[in-house]
Amino acid sequence: MTFGDVEGRLVTYSSAQAIGFELCDSAREGCRFAPANVDANRVILPLVAADQRASRVRFCWGDSPLRNLSDGSGLPVGPFEIPIR
């Protein structure tokens, strides 16, 4: 997925991967955390066989989410949920 409206590149803190991404199937409870690699203004979520049922991606979801993804100005990426096409 590509992010618009970012200042510079996306950056992670305290880890080489972005923390807080989940792949979800159609069931409300069917989510699992997924490794996310950052490349400039893109985040790449590698799919494995277990993820073939995933229908949506969400980031920073929950009451007190842990995240480490920001743009070049230091502003954190906010929570979102999007469908997988």
Side-chain angles (χ1 to χ4, degrees), residues 47-59:
L47 289 176
V48 294
D51 300 326
Q52 296 306 312
R53 296 177 312 229
S55 61
R56 56 198 162 98
V57 173
R58 63 186 189 183
F59 174 70

Side-chain angles (χ1 to χ4, degrees), residues 60-80:
C60 203
W61 214 253
D63 293 334
S64 297
L66 179 63
R67 66 171 167 216
N68 69 338
L69 185 61
S70 297
D71 72 3
S73 71
L75 291 175
V77 173
F80 64 84

Side-chain angles (χ1 to χ4, degrees), residues 7-78:
E7 192 77 29
R9 342 172 21 103
L10 293 170
V11 295
T12 59
Y13 297 99
S14 301
S15 176
Q17 293 184 320
I19 297 170
F21 282 90
E22 295 176 83
L23 290 170
C24 305
D25 60 28
S26 58
R28 236 14 213 169
E29 298 80 30
C31 296
R32 71 164 195 83
F33 285 101
N37 299 309
V38 176
D39 178 27
N41 68 337
R42 295 184 322 146
V43 173
I44 301 160
L45 296 166
L47 289 176
V48 294
D51 300 326
Q52 296 306 312
R53 296 177 312 229
S55 61
R56 56 198 162 98
V57 173
R58 63 186 189 183
F59 174 70
C60 203
W61 214 253
D63 293 334
S64 297
L66 179 63
R67 66 171 167 216
N68 69 338
L69 185 61
S70 297
D71 72 3
S73 71
L75 291 175
V77 173

